[in-house]
Amino acid sequence: MSHIDEIPGPDGRTIEVLTGGDPDGFPLLFHMGSPSAVAASAAIDAVAGAAGLRYVTFSRPGYGRSTPRPAPGRYADDVAESLVVLDHLGIGDFVTVGWSGGGPRALACAALVPGRCRAAATLAGVAPYGAAGLDWFEGMAEENLEEYHTAEQGAEAYGALVEEQILPMLAATPDQIADAMGGLVTPVDKAMVTDEFADWMSRTFNHAGAQGAIGVRDDGLAAVAPWGFDLADITVPVAVWQGRQDAMVPYAHGAWLAAKVPGAQPHLFEDEGHLSLLGRLDEILHDLKQLAGL
């Protein structure tokens, strides 16, 4: 049974935390995508519990009930938030998964706290903006092209786009989710949007917009900014999971990460998309435990 709480964060801020899975299991820190906020999922809770993992996730600053930062942060800055959460829960070593925009946060944990992060997996995770040898935009749906090109223009322009285009999507009901995401959802991903999945995604989207545009704005700005750490510094085991039927984070991002993260184990699929990879979560967690020697 999952539980949501609010804990003290850095600089007098508050962090909203969700825990679940096996309460006596090895800790799994799950970094959700962009945009998102904590929302209980019976399916994720069950898969984590069956894997013998204690599931921990949190709403990043500006999402849900987590206090915004005074200024937008980098992906590396979410490691500090992560450690505050883990320390509050009495957790030392952990493994981590990052989905979509959460992928760089999982890699940041691997790079910056290798003494505690035993292994990491990036799941349809974005690659660094402007990375050498990667056309970052090729294969993205039109919606993402417009969004990130606007984020390049800075906080004011991007914040206005979030207000106009993204906040209405975040208000979608379960039966509106697939249509609200438009061209971002490929056929294999649309098939993933069952009643249970749509209900969970609607709740995480709805809650992500609880404070308006600020959480989404800061996430988008982080995506087109330097990450604040070097992938070459990663020494812990990493798995990269990516599907070619992904219109949100193109396949080339996963292939690039698999080639550039030292020792990365690639799991690259022709028939998976952005959402559908979550259907492999039991496999992903089993692989992650093996990488961590658990």
Side-chain angles (χ1 to χ4, degrees):
M1 179 69 71
S2 58
H3 176 73
I4 297 175
D5 200 2
E6 294 176 41
I7 69 168
D11 308 316
R13 295 186 284 109
T14 295
I15 306 175
E16 182 182 33
V17 178
L18 182 149
T19 55
D22 180 353
D24 299 316
F26 193 84
L28 164 68
L29 177 63
F30 200 108
H31 296 276
M32 295 296 295
S34 308
S36 66
V38 300
S41 166
I44 294 177
D45 200 54
V47 172
L53 295 169
R54 182 185 183 189
Y55 178 67
V56 178
T57 189
F58 63 94
S59 298
R60 292 190 290 273
Y63 283 133
R65 294 197 297 270
S66 290
T67 313
R69 291 189 179 100
R74 304 169 302 168
Y75 286 139
D77 296 326
D78 286 311
V79 175
E81 306 278 328
S82 299
L83 295 182
V84 168
V85 170
L86 296 173
D87 290 347
H88 181 85
L89 296 173
I91 291 171
D93 289 0
F94 64 99
V95 293
T96 186
V97 170
W99 178 38
S100 188
R105 277 93 178 187
L107 294 174
C109 289
L112 299 177
V113 286
R116 292 177 66 172
C117 180
R118 296 269 294 273
T122 174
L123 173 59
V126 66
Y129 180 75
L134 173 68
D135 185 336
W136 203 81
F137 290 101
E138 184 178 3
M140 278 190 185
E142 184 63 34
E143 291 89 340
N144 269 10
L145 289 176
E146 181 181 5
E147 177 182 350
Y148 289 119
H149 279 309
T150 305
E152 294 171 329
Q153 301 172 33
E156 184 176 353
Y158 183 60
L161 179 139
V162 171
E163 292 275 2
E164 180 183 346
Q165 298 186 18
I166 300 180
L167 288 187
M169 181 190 76
L170 296 187
T173 61
D175 61 342
Q176 296 171 335
I177 281 291
D179 289 340
M181 297 177 75
L184 296 170
V185 181
T186 59
V188 69
D189 281 336
K190 196 162 188 176
M192 181 71 179
V193 187
T194 59
D195 289 348
E196 182 180 8
F197 189 90
D199 174 71
W200 170 69
M201 180 157 274
S202 174
R203 287 185 288 109
T204 190
F205 274 8
N206 294 171
H207 196 38
Q211 299 183 61
I214 189 164
V216 188
R217 185 203 68 183
D218 288 0
D219 245 2
L221 293 174
V224 297
W227 285 11
F229 66 96
D230 192 336
L231 290 174
D233 292 337
I234 294 176
T235 57
V236 304
V238 170
V240 176
W241 298 75
Q242 181 71 42
R244 195 176 291 276
Q245 310 305 314
D246 190 336
M248 300 186 212
V249 178
Y251 180 86
H253 285 235
W256 189 93
L257 287 169
K260 298 298 183 181
V261 174
Q265 301 295 310
H267 300 271
L268 308 177
F269 301 95
E270 294 294 320
D271 57 350
E272 296 287 5
H274 195 84
L275 307 180
S276 70
L277 274 177
L278 279 184
R280 292 180 176 266
L281 188 56
D282 55 347
E283 179 185 351
I284 291 164
L285 297 184
H286 176 76
D287 178 78
L288 185 62
K289 288 179 67 177
Q290 285 192 319
L291 287 179
L294 300 174

Short mmCIF file of all heavy atoms in Angstrom, two decimals, residues 115-176:
data_model
loop_
_atom_site.label_atom_id
_atom_site.label_comp_id
_atom_site.label_asym_id
_atom_site.label_seq_id
_atom_site.Cartn_x
_atom_site.Cartn_y
_atom_site.Cartn_z
N GLY A 115 28.75 6.25 -4.19
CA GLY A 115 28.89 5.53 -2.93
C GLY A 115 27.57 5.01 -2.38
O GLY A 115 27.55 4.13 -1.51
N ARG A 116 26.45 5.54 -2.91
CA ARG A 116 25.13 5.11 -2.43
C ARG A 116 24.27 4.52 -3.55
O ARG A 116 23.47 3.61 -3.30
CB ARG A 116 24.40 6.30 -1.79
CG ARG A 116 25.04 6.76 -0.50
CD ARG A 116 24.35 7.98 0.09
NE ARG A 116 23.00 7.72 0.53
CZ ARG A 116 22.25 8.60 1.21
NH1 ARG A 116 22.74 9.79 1.48
NH2 ARG A 116 21.02 8.30 1.58
N CYS A 117 24.42 5.04 -4.75
CA CYS A 117 23.65 4.54 -5.88
C CYS A 117 24.32 3.28 -6.42
O CYS A 117 25.40 3.34 -7.01
CB CYS A 117 23.56 5.61 -6.96
SG CYS A 117 22.63 5.10 -8.41
N ARG A 118 23.68 2.14 -6.24
CA ARG A 118 24.28 0.87 -6.61
C ARG A 118 24.13 0.55 -8.10
O ARG A 118 24.96 -0.17 -8.67
CB ARG A 118 23.65 -0.24 -5.77
CG ARG A 118 23.92 -0.13 -4.28
CD ARG A 118 25.16 -0.89 -3.88
NE ARG A 118 24.97 -2.31 -4.07
CZ ARG A 118 24.44 -3.15 -3.17
NH1 ARG A 118 24.04 -2.68 -2.00
NH2 ARG A 118 24.31 -4.44 -3.42
N ALA A 119 23.08 1.04 -8.73
CA ALA A 119 22.86 0.83 -10.16
C ALA A 119 21.74 1.76 -10.59
O ALA A 119 20.92 2.20 -9.78
CB ALA A 119 22.50 -0.62 -10.46
N ALA A 120 21.71 2.06 -11.90
CA ALA A 120 20.70 2.97 -12.44
C ALA A 120 20.18 2.46 -13.77
O ALA A 120 20.90 1.77 -14.51
CB ALA A 120 21.29 4.37 -12.62
N ALA A 121 18.94 2.81 -14.07
CA ALA A 121 18.35 2.49 -15.37
C ALA A 121 17.67 3.73 -15.89
O ALA A 121 16.95 4.42 -15.15
CB ALA A 121 17.36 1.35 -15.25
N THR A 122 17.90 4.04 -17.16
CA THR A 122 17.19 5.13 -17.81
C THR A 122 16.21 4.52 -18.79
O THR A 122 16.56 3.67 -19.60
CB THR A 122 18.17 6.12 -18.49
OG1 THR A 122 17.43 7.09 -19.23
CG2 THR A 122 19.15 5.43 -19.40
N LEU A 123 14.96 4.94 -18.69
CA LEU A 123 13.84 4.33 -19.41
C LEU A 123 13.22 5.38 -20.32
O LEU A 123 12.58 6.32 -19.85
CB LEU A 123 12.83 3.81 -18.38
CG LEU A 123 11.49 3.28 -18.83
CD1 LEU A 123 11.66 2.12 -19.78
CD2 LEU A 123 10.68 2.83 -17.61
N ALA A 124 13.46 5.26 -21.64
CA ALA A 124 13.03 6.28 -22.60
C ALA A 124 13.55 7.65 -22.17
O ALA A 124 12.86 8.66 -22.27
CB ALA A 124 11.51 6.30 -22.74
N GLY A 125 14.78 7.68 -21.67
CA GLY A 125 15.36 8.89 -21.11
C GLY A 125 15.97 9.80 -22.16
O GLY A 125 16.54 9.35 -23.15
N VAL A 126 15.85 11.09 -21.92
CA VAL A 126 16.37 12.09 -22.83
C VAL A 126 17.89 12.16 -22.74
O VAL A 126 18.48 11.94 -21.67
CB VAL A 126 15.72 13.46 -22.53
CG1 VAL A 126 16.14 13.98 -21.16
CG2 VAL A 126 16.03 14.46 -23.61
N ALA A 127 18.54 12.44 -23.86
CA ALA A 127 19.99 12.64 -23.92
C ALA A 127 20.30 14.12 -23.73
O ALA A 127 19.41 14.97 -23.80
CB ALA A 127 20.54 12.15 -25.26
N PRO A 128 21.58 14.47 -23.49
CA PRO A 128 21.93 15.88 -23.29
C PRO A 128 21.60 16.73 -24.51
O PRO A 128 21.86 16.34 -25.65
CB PRO A 128 23.44 15.84 -23.03
CG PRO A 128 23.72 14.45 -22.56
CD PRO A 128 22.74 13.58 -23.28
N TYR A 129 21.04 17.90 -24.25
CA TYR A 129 20.74 18.84 -25.31
C TYR A 129 22.03 19.31 -25.98
O TYR A 129 23.00 19.67 -25.31
CB TYR A 129 19.99 20.04 -24.72
CG TYR A 129 19.62 21.09 -25.72
CD1 TYR A 129 18.57 20.88 -26.60
CD2 TYR A 129 20.31 22.29 -25.76
CE1 TYR A 129 18.22 21.86 -27.52
CE2 TYR A 129 19.97 23.28 -26.67
CZ TYR A 129 18.93 23.05 -27.55
OH TYR A 129 18.58 24.01 -28.46
N GLY A 130 22.06 19.28 -27.31
CA GLY A 130 23.25 19.70 -28.03
C GLY A 130 24.38 18.69 -28.01
O GLY A 130 25.53 19.04 -28.34
N ALA A 131 24.08 17.44 -27.65
CA ALA A 131 25.12 16.41 -27.58
C ALA A 131 25.78 16.21 -28.93
O ALA A 131 25.11 16.15 -29.97
CB ALA A 131 24.52 15.10 -27.08
N ALA A 132 27.10 16.08 -28.93
CA ALA A 132 27.84 15.86 -30.17
C ALA A 132 27.44 14.52 -30.79
O ALA A 132 27.35 13.50 -30.10
CB ALA A 132 29.34 15.88 -29.88
N GLY A 133 27.18 14.53 -32.09
CA GLY A 133 26.84 13.30 -32.78
C GLY A 133 25.39 12.90 -32.67
O GLY A 133 25.02 11.79 -33.06
N LEU A 134 24.53 13.78 -32.15
CA LEU A 134 23.11 13.48 -32.00
C LEU A 134 22.27 14.65 -32.51
O LEU A 134 22.48 15.79 -32.09
CB LEU A 134 22.77 13.23 -30.52
CG LEU A 134 21.28 13.05 -30.19
CD1 LEU A 134 20.73 11.77 -30.78
CD2 LEU A 134 21.06 13.09 -28.68
N ASP A 135 21.35 14.35 -33.42
CA ASP A 135 20.34 15.34 -33.79
C ASP A 135 19.22 15.22 -32.76
O ASP A 135 18.38 14.33 -32.84
CB ASP A 135 19.81 15.07 -35.20
CG ASP A 135 18.84 16.14 -35.69
OD1 ASP A 135 18.23 16.82 -34.83
OD2 ASP A 135 18.67 16.31 -36.90
N TRP A 136 19.22 16.10 -31.79
CA TRP A 136 18.36 15.99 -30.60
C TRP A 136 16.89 16.00 -30.96
O TRP A 136 16.07 15.38 -30.30
CB TRP A 136 18.69 17.15 -29.66
CG TRP A 136 18.36 16.95 -28.23
CD1 TRP A 136 19.10 16.27 -27.30
CD2 TRP A 136 17.21 17.46 -27.54
NE1 TRP A 136 18.49 16.33 -26.07
CE2 TRP A 136 17.33 17.05 -26.19
CE3 TRP A 136 16.12 18.23 -27.92
CZ2 TRP A 136 16.38 17.38 -25.22
CZ3 TRP A 136 15.17 18.55 -26.97
CH2 TRP A 136 15.30 18.13 -25.64
N PHE A 137 16.53 16.71 -32.03
CA PHE A 137 15.13 16.89 -32.39
C PHE A 137 14.61 15.88 -33.40
O PHE A 137 13.39 15.74 -33.55
CB PHE A 137 14.91 18.30 -32.94
CG PHE A 137 15.04 19.39 -31.92
CD1 PHE A 137 16.20 20.14 -31.83
CD2 PHE A 137 14.02 19.65 -31.03
CE1 PHE A 137 16.32 21.16 -30.89
CE2 PHE A 137 14.13 20.65 -30.07
CZ PHE A 137 15.28 21.41 -30.01
N GLU A 138 15.49 15.20 -34.11
CA GLU A 138 15.04 14.31 -35.19
C GLU A 138 14.16 13.18 -34.64
O GLU A 138 14.54 12.48 -33.70
CB GLU A 138 16.23 13.70 -35.92
CG GLU A 138 15.81 12.84 -37.11
CD GLU A 138 16.99 12.27 -37.86
OE1 GLU A 138 18.14 12.49 -37.43
OE2 GLU A 138 16.76 11.59 -38.88
N GLY A 139 12.97 13.04 -35.21
CA GLY A 139 12.06 11.98 -34.81
C GLY A 139 11.08 12.38 -33.73
O GLY A 139 10.20 11.59 -33.38
N MET A 140 11.18 13.61 -33.20
CA MET A 140 10.23 14.08 -32.19
C MET A 140 8.92 14.49 -32.85
O MET A 140 8.90 15.05 -33.95
CB MET A 140 10.78 15.29 -31.43
CG MET A 140 11.72 14.96 -30.31
SD MET A 140 12.07 16.46 -29.33
CE MET A 140 13.32 15.80 -28.21
N ALA A 141 7.81 14.25 -32.16
CA ALA A 141 6.52 14.74 -32.61
C ALA A 141 6.52 16.26 -32.63
O ALA A 141 7.26 16.92 -31.89
CB ALA A 141 5.41 14.22 -31.70
N GLU A 142 5.65 16.83 -33.46
CA GLU A 142 5.59 18.28 -33.64
C GLU A 142 5.38 19.01 -32.32
O GLU A 142 5.94 20.09 -32.09
CB GLU A 142 4.45 18.63 -34.60
CG GLU A 142 4.35 20.11 -34.94
CD GLU A 142 5.58 20.64 -35.65
OE1 GLU A 142 6.19 19.90 -36.45
OE2 GLU A 142 5.95 21.81 -35.38
N GLU A 143 4.59 18.41 -31.43
CA GLU A 143 4.31 19.06 -30.14
C GLU A 143 5.60 19.30 -29.35
O GLU A 143 5.79 20.35 -28.75
CB GLU A 143 3.34 18.22 -29.32
CG GLU A 143 1.93 18.15 -29.87
CD GLU A 143 1.71 17.02 -30.85
OE1 GLU A 143 2.70 16.50 -31.41
OE2 GLU A 143 0.55 16.65 -31.08
N ASN A 144 6.49 18.30 -29.34
CA ASN A 144 7.74 18.45 -28.60
C ASN A 144 8.70 19.40 -29.30
O ASN A 144 9.47 20.12 -28.66
CB ASN A 144 8.41 17.09 -28.38
CG ASN A 144 7.99 16.45 -27.07
OD1 ASN A 144 7.06 16.91 -26.42
ND2 ASN A 144 8.65 15.37 -26.69
N LEU A 145 8.68 19.40 -30.63
CA LEU A 145 9.55 20.32 -31.36
C LEU A 145 9.23 21.76 -30.97
O LEU A 145 10.13 22.55 -30.67
CB LEU A 145 9.36 20.13 -32.87
CG LEU A 145 9.90 18.84 -33.49
CD1 LEU A 145 9.53 18.78 -34.96
CD2 LEU A 145 11.41 18.75 -33.32
N GLU A 146 7.95 22.10 -30.99
CA GLU A 146 7.56 23.47 -30.64
C GLU A 146 7.90 23.77 -29.18
O GLU A 146 8.41 24.85 -28.86
CB GLU A 146 6.06 23.66 -30.86
CG GLU A 146 5.60 25.07 -30.53
CD GLU A 146 4.11 25.27 -30.73
OE1 GLU A 146 3.39 24.29 -31.03
OE2 GLU A 146 3.65 26.41 -30.57
N GLU A 147 7.64 22.79 -28.31
CA GLU A 147 7.87 23.03 -26.88
C GLU A 147 9.34 23.34 -26.60
O GLU A 147 9.67 24.34 -25.95
CB GLU A 147 7.43 21.81 -26.07
CG GLU A 147 7.72 21.96 -24.59
CD GLU A 147 7.34 20.74 -23.77
OE1 GLU A 147 6.67 19.83 -24.30
OE2 GLU A 147 7.73 20.70 -22.58
N TYR A 148 10.25 22.48 -27.09
CA TYR A 148 11.65 22.66 -26.72
C TYR A 148 12.31 23.80 -27.48
O TYR A 148 13.23 24.45 -26.95
CB TYR A 148 12.40 21.34 -26.88
CG TYR A 148 12.00 20.33 -25.83
CD1 TYR A 148 11.42 19.12 -26.18
CD2 TYR A 148 12.16 20.61 -24.48
CE1 TYR A 148 11.03 18.19 -25.22
CE2 TYR A 148 11.77 19.71 -23.51
CZ TYR A 148 11.21 18.50 -23.89
OH TYR A 148 10.82 17.60 -22.92
N HIS A 149 11.86 24.08 -28.71
CA HIS A 149 12.39 25.26 -29.40
C HIS A 149 11.97 26.53 -28.66
O HIS A 149 12.71 27.52 -28.63
CB HIS A 149 11.92 25.29 -30.85
CG HIS A 149 12.71 24.41 -31.76
ND1 HIS A 149 14.09 24.45 -31.82
CD2 HIS A 149 12.32 23.45 -32.66
CE1 HIS A 149 14.52 23.57 -32.71
NE2 HIS A 149 13.46 22.94 -33.22
N THR A 150 10.79 26.50 -28.05
CA THR A 150 10.37 27.65 -27.25
C THR A 150 11.17 27.73 -25.95
O THR A 150 11.54 28.83 -25.50
CB THR A 150 8.86 27.57 -26.94
OG1 THR A 150 8.14 27.45 -28.16
CG2 THR A 150 8.39 28.82 -26.21
N ALA A 151 11.47 26.59 -25.34
CA ALA A 151 12.28 26.58 -24.12
C ALA A 151 13.65 27.19 -24.37
O ALA A 151 14.24 27.82 -23.46
CB ALA A 151 12.42 25.15 -23.59
N GLU A 152 14.16 27.04 -25.59
CA GLU A 152 15.45 27.65 -25.94
C GLU A 152 15.42 29.17 -25.76
O GLU A 152 16.44 29.80 -25.55
CB GLU A 152 15.81 27.34 -27.40
CG GLU A 152 16.08 25.89 -27.70
CD GLU A 152 16.21 25.65 -29.20
OE1 GLU A 152 15.57 26.36 -29.99
OE2 GLU A 152 16.97 24.75 -29.55
N GLN A 153 14.22 29.75 -25.86
CA GLN A 153 14.08 31.21 -25.81
C GLN A 153 14.04 31.75 -24.38
O GLN A 153 14.02 32.97 -24.19
CB GLN A 153 12.82 31.62 -26.57
CG GLN A 153 12.81 31.20 -28.02
CD GLN A 153 11.47 31.44 -28.69
OE1 GLN A 153 10.77 32.41 -28.36
NE2 GLN A 153 11.09 30.58 -29.62
N GLY A 154 13.99 30.86 -23.38
CA GLY A 154 14.05 31.32 -22.00
C GLY A 154 12.74 31.18 -21.24
O GLY A 154 11.72 30.75 -21.79
N ALA A 155 12.79 31.55 -19.96
CA ALA A 155 11.70 31.29 -19.03
C ALA A 155 10.41 32.02 -19.42
O ALA A 155 9.32 31.46 -19.30
CB ALA A 155 12.12 31.69 -17.62
N GLU A 156 10.51 33.26 -19.87
CA GLU A 156 9.28 34.02 -20.16
C GLU A 156 8.52 33.41 -21.33
O GLU A 156 7.30 33.17 -21.24
CB GLU A 156 9.62 35.48 -20.45
CG GLU A 156 8.39 36.35 -20.65
CD GLU A 156 8.72 37.82 -20.84
OE1 GLU A 156 9.90 38.20 -20.67
OE2 GLU A 156 7.80 38.60 -21.14
N ALA A 157 9.22 33.16 -22.44
CA ALA A 157 8.56 32.60 -23.62
C ALA A 157 8.04 31.20 -23.34
O ALA A 157 6.91 30.86 -23.71
CB ALA A 157 9.53 32.58 -24.80
N TYR A 158 8.86 30.40 -22.67
CA TYR A 158 8.45 29.02 -22.42
C TYR A 158 7.31 28.96 -21.41
O TYR A 158 6.37 28.17 -21.56
CB TYR A 158 9.63 28.19 -21.94
CG TYR A 158 9.29 26.73 -21.75
CD1 TYR A 158 8.82 25.97 -22.81
CD2 TYR A 158 9.42 26.13 -20.50
CE1 TYR A 158 8.48 24.64 -22.64
CE2 TYR A 158 9.10 24.80 -20.32
CZ TYR A 158 8.63 24.06 -21.39
OH TYR A 158 8.29 22.74 -21.21
N GLY A 159 7.36 29.80 -20.39
CA GLY A 159 6.28 29.84 -19.42
C GLY A 159 4.94 30.17 -20.06
O GLY A 159 3.90 29.61 -19.70
N ALA A 160 4.96 31.06 -21.05
CA ALA A 160 3.72 31.43 -21.75
C ALA A 160 3.19 30.24 -22.54
O ALA A 160 1.97 30.00 -22.57
CB ALA A 160 3.99 32.61 -22.68
N LEU A 161 4.09 29.48 -23.18
CA LEU A 161 3.64 28.29 -23.92
C LEU A 161 3.05 27.26 -22.97
O LEU A 161 2.04 26.61 -23.30
CB LEU A 161 4.81 27.69 -24.70
CG LEU A 161 4.49 26.43 -25.50
CD1 LEU A 161 5.15 26.46 -26.87
CD2 LEU A 161 4.90 25.16 -24.75
N VAL A 162 3.68 27.08 -21.82
CA VAL A 162 3.15 26.12 -20.84
C VAL A 162 1.73 26.50 -20.44
O VAL A 162 0.84 25.65 -20.39
CB VAL A 162 4.07 26.04 -19.60
CG1 VAL A 162 3.41 25.22 -18.49
CG2 VAL A 162 5.42 25.43 -19.96
N GLU A 163 1.53 27.77 -20.15
CA GLU A 163 0.20 28.24 -19.76
C GLU A 163 -0.83 27.97 -20.85
O GLU A 163 -1.95 27.52 -20.58
CB GLU A 163 0.25 29.75 -19.47
CG GLU A 163 1.04 30.14 -18.24
CD GLU A 163 0.22 30.06 -16.97
OE1 GLU A 163 -0.96 29.67 -17.03
OE2 GLU A 163 0.78 30.40 -15.90
N GLU A 164 -0.45 28.23 -22.09
CA GLU A 164 -1.39 28.15 -23.20
C GLU A 164 -1.65 26.72 -23.67
O GLU A 164 -2.79 26.36 -23.97
CB GLU A 164 -0.88 28.98 -24.36
CG GLU A 164 -1.79 28.96 -25.59
CD GLU A 164 -1.20 29.74 -26.75
OE1 GLU A 164 -0.24 30.50 -26.54
OE2 GLU A 164 -1.69 29.58 -27.88
N GLN A 165 -0.59 25.90 -23.73
CA GLN A 165 -0.72 24.60 -24.39
C GLN A 165 -0.60 23.40 -23.46
O GLN A 165 -1.26 22.38 -23.70
CB GLN A 165 0.33 24.48 -25.49
CG GLN A 165 0.18 25.51 -26.59
CD GLN A 165 1.14 25.27 -27.74
OE1 GLN A 165 1.70 24.19 -27.89
NE2 GLN A 165 1.36 26.29 -28.56
N ILE A 166 0.25 23.48 -22.45
CA ILE A 166 0.53 22.27 -21.65
C ILE A 166 -0.40 22.15 -20.46
O ILE A 166 -0.88 21.05 -20.15
CB ILE A 166 2.02 22.25 -21.22
CG1 ILE A 166 2.91 22.24 -22.47
CG2 ILE A 166 2.30 21.02 -20.35
CD1 ILE A 166 4.39 22.21 -22.18
N LEU A 167 -0.71 23.25 -19.79
CA LEU A 167 -1.62 23.15 -18.64
C LEU A 167 -2.99 22.60 -19.04
O LEU A 167 -3.55 21.79 -18.29
CB LEU A 167 -1.77 24.50 -17.95
CG LEU A 167 -0.55 25.00 -17.16
CD1 LEU A 167 -0.90 26.27 -16.39
CD2 LEU A 167 -0.03 23.93 -16.21
N PRO A 168 -3.55 22.95 -20.21
CA PRO A 168 -4.81 22.31 -20.59
C PRO A 168 -4.68 20.79 -20.75
O PRO A 168 -5.61 20.05 -20.40
CB PRO A 168 -5.15 22.97 -21.93
CG PRO A 168 -4.51 24.32 -21.84
CD PRO A 168 -3.23 24.08 -21.10
N MET A 169 -3.53 20.32 -21.25
CA MET A 169 -3.32 18.88 -21.37
C MET A 169 -3.26 18.22 -20.00
O MET A 169 -3.78 17.12 -19.78
CB MET A 169 -2.01 18.59 -22.13
CG MET A 169 -1.72 17.11 -22.32
SD MET A 169 -0.06 16.79 -22.96
CE MET A 169 0.96 17.07 -21.50
N LEU A 170 -2.65 18.92 -19.03
CA LEU A 170 -2.52 18.35 -17.69
C LEU A 170 -3.88 18.22 -17.00
O LEU A 170 -4.01 17.44 -16.06
CB LEU A 170 -1.60 19.22 -16.83
CG LEU A 170 -0.14 19.31 -17.25
CD1 LEU A 170 0.68 20.06 -16.20
CD2 LEU A 170 0.47 17.94 -17.51
N ALA A 171 -4.86 18.94 -17.47
CA ALA A 171 -6.19 18.88 -16.87
C ALA A 171 -7.04 17.74 -17.45
O ALA A 171 -8.20 17.58 -17.07
CB ALA A 171 -6.91 20.21 -17.07
N ALA A 172 -6.47 16.95 -18.36
CA ALA A 172 -7.24 15.91 -19.04
C ALA A 172 -7.77 14.86 -18.08
O ALA A 172 -7.10 14.46 -17.12
CB ALA A 172 -6.37 15.24 -20.11
N THR A 173 -8.98 14.40 -18.34
CA THR A 173 -9.57 13.29 -17.61
C THR A 173 -9.03 11.98 -18.20
O THR A 173 -8.43 11.98 -19.28
CB THR A 173 -11.10 13.32 -17.74
OG1 THR A 173 -11.43 13.20 -19.13
CG2 THR A 173 -11.67 14.62 -17.20
N PRO A 174 -9.23 10.86 -17.52
CA PRO A 174 -8.71 9.59 -18.04
C PRO A 174 -9.12 9.29 -19.47
O PRO A 174 -8.29 8.83 -20.27
CB PRO A 174 -9.27 8.56 -17.06
CG PRO A 174 -9.38 9.31 -15.77
CD PRO A 174 -9.80 10.69 -16.17
N ASP A 175 -10.37 9.58 -19.83
CA ASP A 175 -10.81 9.26 -21.19
C ASP A 175 -10.33 10.28 -22.22
O ASP A 175 -10.51 10.08 -23.43
CB ASP A 175 -12.33 9.12 -21.24
CG ASP A 175 -13.07 10.40 -20.84
OD1 ASP A 175 -12.44 11.27 -20.21
OD2 ASP A 175 -14.26 10.50 -21.16
N GLN A 176 -9.68 11.35 -21.77
CA GLN A 176 -9.15 12.36 -22.67
C GLN A 176 -7.64 12.26 -22.87
O GLN A 176 -7.09 12.92 -23.75
CB GLN A 176 -9.48 13.76 -22.14
CG GLN A 176 -10.95 14.10 -22.08
CD GLN A 176 -11.20 15.41 -21.34
OE1 GLN A 176 -10.40 15.83 -20.50
NE2 GLN A 176 -12.33 16.05 -21.64
#
